[in-house]
Amino acid sequence: MIEEDLTRLHLDVYDTREGPWNPVHGELEIPAGWDFLPSGDAFVTRTVKAAGSYWVAWRPRGRNRPHRRRLGLWAPRTAIEAAQLAAEATEAERARRRDQGARSRERQEAAYLEELANAIRRFLEFPPEYAGLADEIAEAAAAQTAVVGSGRVGRTRTLTLDQRAALAARAYIRHHLTGYHDALDDLTTEWDDEYLYRQIKADAQHAVDEFLANHRQLMP
């Protein structure tokens, strides 16, 4: 019977006290001519993987470690060395592309913040006399609700831009231009906190409605 060439497989290999181990193949020996590449350099790791032969090294779950942790790769020494040389040779170009990408993302982010702020201004519908207040609300609400990776309403792509703008504006007004936080600070435990909290939120929504109505028309 011909033994299976495990170097052709992309195995998950666990670092155990008894040595490298795989759930299917049991205890393993690291193939001759292979080295360990620690995690950390994404370019080198991708390049080694693209070369074809590798095993993924893991630290197994433990009593105080509920999840396994990837340690790096076992791969042919020649593949690792070639990837490291390629990383050195292309570092300047990759740095230039990273810089270009960062600037592009900054421009896109600035354009989106402006687009969201303009949508908030449209939602507010304040007359010219309140243009300064509209600008303040629009710019602050856009900045607060569209933080990258925050998951806040400004990043909720399941909503239209106008829906995001309305929610962002109302949230900003509720938190900064009504007595919402004062009411929360005065909340006691003498009554049902959940009931009182719902009542405070409902009152705050009415306060936002009143604020908008008052500022969408000229005050007498």
Side-chain angles (χ1 to χ4, degrees):
M1 181 177 179
I2 300 176
E3 292 188 5
E4 184 177 11
D5 183 0
L6 299 183
T7 64
R8 297 178 178 273
L9 304 179
H10 297 155
L11 301 179
D12 286 330
V13 178
Y14 292 86
D15 181 20
T16 71
R17 293 179 180 177
E18 289 73 28
W21 177 86
N22 173 266
V24 174
H25 301 281
E27 294 182 7
L28 301 172
E29 288 188 8
I30 302 303
W34 281 36
D35 279 344
F36 178 68
L37 174 67
S39 297
D41 190 317
F43 175 84
V44 173
T45 296
R46 287 196 304 270
T47 304
V48 169
K49 284 185 172 182
S53 297
Y54 64 87
W55 293 346
V56 182
W58 298 91
R59 177 165 293 168
R61 292 186 290 268
R63 180 177 301 176
N64 299 317
R65 190 174 52 250
H67 304 289
R68 66 179 186 173
R69 181 165 68 87
R70 188 165 66 179
L71 302 175
L73 299 178
W74 286 104
R77 183 180 305 114
T78 53
I80 294 174
E81 292 174 349
Q84 291 170 335
L85 288 174
E88 293 175 5
T90 60
E91 173 56 32
E93 175 61 20
R94 288 186 292 117
R96 184 186 67 81
R97 290 201 299 267
R98 286 194 299 269
D99 186 56
Q100 279 186 334
R103 289 200 300 270
S104 176
R105 288 189 295 273
E106 288 175 0
R107 290 193 296 268
Q108 292 173 356
E109 183 62 18
Y112 174 63
L113 286 177
E114 183 177 1
E115 183 182 24
L116 180 59
N118 287 334
I120 292 172
R121 291 185 183 93
R122 290 195 301 271
F123 166 77
L124 293 173
E125 293 183 313
F126 286 180
E129 286 76 4
Y130 295 126
L133 178 60
D135 288 340
E136 175 187 336
I137 294 172
E139 293 171 8
Q144 289 182 6
T145 61
V147 176
V148 176
S150 66
R152 295 174 184 169
V153 68
R155 292 291 164 185
T156 307
R157 295 298 182 177
T158 57
L159 301 176
T160 67
L161 178 65
D162 288 341
Q163 288 171 328
R164 281 174 257 155
L167 291 172
R170 292 185 66 88
Y172 181 85
I173 294 169
R174 181 174 73 251
H175 285 284
H176 297 278
L177 299 172
T178 73
Y180 175 64
H181 283 289
D182 290 336
L184 287 179
D185 291 340
D186 292 338
L187 189 64
T188 68
T189 58
E190 296 178 7
W191 300 88
D192 182 347
D193 282 355
E194 183 61 29
Y195 169 78
L196 291 177
Y197 176 68
R198 289 196 302 270
Q199 187 61 51
I200 289 171
K201 286 205 70 173
D203 291 343
Q205 294 296 349
H206 291 310
V208 172
D209 290 338
E210 184 176 359
F211 179 92
L212 290 170
N214 287 338
H215 289 84
R216 282 170 174 163
Q217 59 186 356
L218 291 179
M219 299 292 287

